[in-house]
Amino acid sequence: MHIGTLVLVQSLNTSVSSSPYYNVFIAAQVKTNDKGFFSKDITVKDMVSLRGDIHHIFPKNLLKKQNKQRGEYNQIANYVYIQQEINIKIGDKSPDLYFNQMLAQCQGGEQLYGGITNLDEF
Protein backbone atom coordinates (compact mmCIF):
# COMPACT_ATOMS: atom_id res chain seq x y z
CA MET A 1 0.00 0.00 0.00
CA HIS A 2 1.30 3.46 -0.90
CA ILE A 3 2.06 5.82 2.02
CA GLY A 4 -0.31 8.45 0.53
CA THR A 5 -3.13 5.92 0.68
CA LEU A 6 -2.45 5.30 4.36
CA VAL A 7 -2.39 9.01 5.11
CA LEU A 8 -5.75 9.53 3.39
CA VAL A 9 -7.41 6.61 5.18
CA GLN A 10 -6.08 7.72 8.56
CA SER A 11 -7.18 11.31 7.84
CA LEU A 12 -10.78 10.12 7.58
CA ASN A 13 -10.60 9.51 11.33
CA THR A 14 -12.24 12.86 12.09
CA SER A 15 -15.75 14.11 12.70
CA VAL A 16 -15.17 17.34 10.74
CA SER A 17 -17.19 16.97 7.53
CA SER A 18 -15.52 20.06 6.05
CA SER A 19 -12.20 18.19 6.14
CA PRO A 20 -10.27 18.56 2.88
CA TYR A 21 -9.65 14.80 2.95
CA TYR A 22 -13.37 14.11 2.98
CA ASN A 23 -13.89 16.58 0.15
CA VAL A 24 -11.15 14.86 -1.89
CA PHE A 25 -12.81 11.50 -1.23
CA ILE A 26 -16.21 12.81 -2.42
CA ALA A 27 -14.60 14.54 -5.43
CA ALA A 28 -12.97 11.23 -6.41
CA GLN A 29 -16.37 9.51 -6.24
CA VAL A 30 -17.88 12.25 -8.41
CA LYS A 31 -15.03 12.04 -10.96
CA THR A 32 -15.29 8.25 -11.26
CA ASN A 33 -19.09 8.44 -11.56
CA ASP A 34 -19.62 6.20 -8.53
CA LYS A 35 -23.16 5.23 -7.61
CA GLY A 36 -24.64 6.16 -4.27
CA PHE A 37 -24.71 3.61 -1.45
CA PHE A 38 -27.04 0.74 -2.49
CA SER A 39 -28.06 2.75 -5.60
CA LYS A 40 -28.46 1.22 -9.04
CA ASP A 41 -28.67 4.43 -11.06
CA ILE A 42 -28.23 7.51 -8.86
CA THR A 43 -24.63 8.78 -8.72
CA VAL A 44 -22.79 10.50 -5.92
CA LYS A 45 -22.55 13.51 -8.25
CA ASP A 46 -26.36 13.61 -8.50
CA MET A 47 -26.70 13.40 -4.74
CA VAL A 48 -24.06 16.04 -4.07
CA SER A 49 -25.73 18.46 -6.47
CA LEU A 50 -29.23 17.68 -5.14
CA ARG A 51 -28.15 17.59 -1.49
CA GLY A 52 -28.76 13.88 -1.04
CA ASP A 53 -28.85 12.14 2.31
CA ILE A 54 -25.71 11.27 4.23
CA HIS A 55 -26.04 7.85 5.86
CA HIS A 56 -24.03 6.54 8.79
CA ILE A 57 -22.90 3.02 7.76
CA PHE A 58 -22.98 2.18 11.46
CA PRO A 59 -26.16 4.10 12.40
CA LYS A 60 -25.73 6.92 14.87
CA ASN A 61 -28.48 5.71 17.23
CA LEU A 62 -27.05 2.18 17.20
CA LEU A 63 -23.64 3.56 18.24
CA LYS A 64 -25.21 5.85 20.86
CA LYS A 65 -26.79 2.75 22.45
CA GLN A 66 -23.24 1.37 22.68
CA ASN A 67 -22.21 4.51 24.59
CA LYS A 68 -20.17 5.94 21.73
CA GLN A 69 -19.54 9.68 21.86
CA ARG A 70 -20.42 12.19 19.12
CA GLY A 71 -16.84 12.31 17.82
CA GLU A 72 -16.91 8.53 17.45
CA TYR A 73 -20.24 8.05 15.65
CA ASN A 74 -19.83 11.08 13.40
CA GLN A 75 -16.54 9.93 11.87
CA ILE A 76 -16.46 10.91 8.20
CA ALA A 77 -15.27 7.39 7.39
CA ASN A 78 -18.73 6.30 8.54
CA TYR A 79 -20.54 8.52 5.98
CA VAL A 80 -21.91 7.57 2.55
CA TYR A 81 -24.22 9.35 0.13
CA ILE A 82 -27.51 7.51 -0.12
CA GLN A 83 -30.96 7.98 -1.64
CA GLN A 84 -33.43 9.24 0.95
CA GLU A 85 -35.88 6.36 0.51
CA ILE A 86 -33.11 3.79 1.06
CA ASN A 87 -31.79 5.71 4.07
CA ILE A 88 -35.27 5.72 5.63
CA LYS A 89 -35.71 1.96 5.07
CA ILE A 90 -32.33 1.18 6.63
CA GLY A 91 -33.06 3.41 9.61
CA ASP A 92 -31.14 2.29 12.70
CA LYS A 93 -30.50 -1.29 11.55
CA SER A 94 -27.03 -2.64 12.10
CA PRO A 95 -24.87 -3.15 8.99
CA ASP A 96 -24.76 -6.92 9.48
CA LEU A 97 -28.57 -6.98 9.18
CA TYR A 98 -29.07 -4.63 6.23
CA PHE A 99 -26.08 -5.96 4.26
CA ASN A 100 -27.44 -9.50 4.67
CA GLN A 101 -30.88 -8.28 3.56
CA MET A 102 -29.26 -6.69 0.51
CA LEU A 103 -27.39 -9.91 -0.24
CA ALA A 104 -30.68 -11.84 -0.04
CA GLN A 105 -32.29 -9.25 -2.34
CA CYS A 106 -29.54 -9.93 -4.90
CA GLN A 107 -30.25 -13.64 -4.66
CA GLY A 108 -33.93 -13.31 -5.54
CA GLY A 109 -35.26 -12.34 -2.13
CA GLU A 110 -37.60 -9.50 -1.23
CA GLN A 111 -36.55 -6.17 -2.74
CA LEU A 112 -36.06 -3.85 0.22
CA TYR A 113 -33.41 -1.34 -0.80
CA GLY A 114 -33.33 0.37 -4.18
CA GLY A 115 -33.19 -1.37 -7.54
CA ILE A 116 -30.09 -3.54 -7.21
CA THR A 117 -31.13 -7.15 -7.80
CA ASN A 118 -27.93 -9.03 -8.66
CA LEU A 119 -24.53 -9.53 -7.11
CA ASP A 120 -22.63 -7.87 -9.98
CA GLU A 121 -24.47 -4.59 -9.40
CA PHE A 122 -24.11 -4.93 -5.64
Side-chain angles (χ1 to χ4, degrees):
M1 185 177 286
H2 188 270
I3 190 70
T5 303
L6 291 174
V7 170
L8 177 59
V9 170
Q10 290 176 343
S11 297
L12 294 175
N13 186 18
T14 179
S15 61
V16 180
S17 62
S18 62
S19 161
Y21 299 106
Y22 181 64
N23 291 330
V24 166
F25 175 67
I26 297 301
Q29 289 183 308
V30 168
K31 180 168 177 46
T32 57
N33 209 33
D34 286 354
K35 302 289 189 278
F37 191 69
F38 284 8
S39 293
K40 181 177 181 176
D41 300 309
I42 308 294
T43 64
V44 171
K45 179 180 179 180
D46 295 332
M47 286 190 261
V48 167
S49 66
L50 299 173
R51 302 186 58 79
D53 281 11
I54 302 286
H55 172 71
H56 289 76
I57 297 169
F58 291 87
K60 180 171 43 175
N61 287 336
L62 180 72
L63 295 175
K64 281 181 176 180
K65 289 176 188 174
Q66 296 174 1
N67 297 317
K68 301 293 183 189
Q69 300 300 309
R70 185 172 194 256
E72 294 175 293
Y73 60 73
N74 276 341
Q75 294 290 308
I76 60 176
N78 192 29
Y79 295 160
V80 290
Y81 271 98
I82 190 169
Q83 292 171 250
Q84 184 178 42
E85 60 273 12
I86 297 172
N87 196 18
I88 290 168
K89 286 182 181 179
I90 289 174
D92 291 337
K93 294 179 183 118
S94 67
D96 63 327
L97 175 60
Y98 68 80
F99 270 93
N100 280 320
Q101 289 173 323
M102 187 63 170
L103 181 60
Q105 174 175 313
C106 291
Q107 296 171 331
E110 181 181 2
Q111 193 168 340
L112 298 171
Y113 308 115
I116 296 175
T117 56
N118 69 61
L119 291 175
D120 289 336
E121 291 174 333
F122 184 41

